[in-house]
Amino acid sequence: MTLAGKKALVTAGGTREAIDAVRFIGNKSSGKQGYAIAEEAFERGADVTLVATVVREMSAGIDRLLVESAAEMREAVVGCAGEADIVIMAAAVADFRPSSVRPVKYKKSEGVPTLTLEPTADILAELGQAKSASQVLVGFAAESDNLEANACRKLAEKNADIIVANNIIAAGAGFDSDTNEVMIFSWSELASDLAGRTVDQTAAETINQLHVPSVSKREVASVLLDVVESHMARLR
Ligand code: CTP
């Protein structure tokens, strides 16, 4: 029970951004990786809150909040994050949403609608700005190219402690697959030791990379929580 007494907040699934009364903009996320992380943290003794957009099987002791849109996810996550020792943003959060939602259905007879989009809030970046020195913040990076460079940039720009990056177009990995192949990027020094350095300096010198070959999403969760626990041990 290596996480006994710790509070973990995990997100899972893809958000849905309403277009009209029946349609939405979604993504391919199944929520499997986020649920696997929540289960693994619960099995290690953590008090787990899961903010999810999809319903999947889970242990009864996990506290689940169901949300739909990026805005609802933000509200739920920001409301719980202050108390959490570990925050893991595994959800695929929409970056854009329709700037207005039609309360009724667009009718085909009206012709093809033109959608205007607006950005959503970046929840992980917001958590990175607000986080305390003792909180471990984990983000995901869904990449189709330049995985290492993009993951390192997200680690620095979003002020996360760990980024789990996956190649979403590789076989046996990514959305809806039961397995995943990831790279886990984490700072090799504590944030307090990095103060004042530029992103280029920190990225070149102080980011550890761990390759996790194609294994079950539960095994990915286990390796990730080992990395989280070793980060927590350094914070003590
Ligand atoms: N994320 C978030 N809020 C958003 C978008 C993303 O909190 N509005 C989080 C995701 O949960 C994930 C991380 O940010 O942990 C990276 O998400 P990703 O989609 O890979 O990256 P983006 O920042 O959206 O950048 P890009 O689309 O350029 O890859």
Side-chain angles (χ1 to χ4, degrees):
M1 296 296 245
T2 46
L3 290 177
K6 300 292 179 193
K7 283 189 193 309
L9 172 62
V10 182
T11 65
T15 60
R16 291 176 166 195
E17 308 303 323
I19 295 171
D20 66 12
V22 294
R23 303 180 180 92
F24 59 84
I25 299 173
N27 62 64
K28 293 181 176 177
S29 174
S30 63
K32 287 179 183 173
Q33 187 63 75
Y35 269 78
I37 294 166
E39 256 336 300
E40 180 67 25
F42 182 69
E43 196 162 281
R44 292 181 184 212
D47 178 358
V48 180
T49 300
L50 176 64
V51 179
T53 60
V54 286
V55 174
R56 308 189 71 88
E57 239 179 76
M58 61 171 205
S59 295
I62 296 174
D63 185 18
R64 180 170 58 197
L65 303 172
L66 287 173
V67 298
E68 203 170 284
S69 65
E72 287 172 13
M73 180 164 283
R74 180 189 165 275
E75 200 181 328
V77 166
V78 169
C80 302
E83 291 193 340
D85 301 291
I86 306 164
V87 181
I88 303 181
M89 286 290 302
V93 185
D95 291 323
F96 313 105
R97 65 172 169 231
S99 48
S100 63
V101 181
R102 213 184 204 205
V104 294
K105 190 182 168 197
Y106 279 106
K107 299 299 289 175
K108 204 158 48 181
S109 56
E110 295 174 74
V112 180
T114 301
L115 296 180
T116 307
L117 304 180
E118 64 180 16
T120 59
D122 188 322
I123 308 167
L124 181 62
E126 189 175 336
L127 297 179
Q129 290 307 311
K131 91 186 194 70
S132 68
S134 62
Q135 185 179 71
V136 180
L137 180 62
V138 181
F140 272 64
E143 305 297 343
S144 52
D145 53 83
N146 290 328
L147 182 136
E148 182 181 335
N150 285 326
C152 290
R153 180 180 51 77
K154 286 174 190 177
L155 188 65
E157 284 181 359
K158 303 196 187 205
N159 198 31
D161 298 295
I162 298 166
I163 290 281
V164 182
N166 64 350
N167 180 344
I168 50 174
I169 51 178
F175 300 121
D176 206 30
S177 174
D178 289 323
T179 57
N180 212 354
E181 177 181 355
V182 303
M183 291 286 296
I184 301 179
F185 297 84
S186 59
W187 296 112
S188 56
E189 293 174 39
L190 293 178
S192 52
D193 301 329
L194 297 170
R197 297 214 211 161
T198 67
V199 170
D200 283 351
Q201 283 170 328
T202 55
E205 296 165 18
T206 54
I207 295 176
N208 287 333
Q209 298 187 21
L210 177 66
H211 177 231
V212 185
S214 187
V215 289
S216 71
K217 288 189 170 174
R218 184 59 185 263
E219 284 172 84
V220 170
S222 174
V223 176
L224 171 60
L225 287 178
D226 287 347
V227 175
V228 167
E229 286 185 21
S230 66
H231 195 86
M232 289 172 95
R234 285 194 287 151
L235 292 174
R236 274 190 219 118

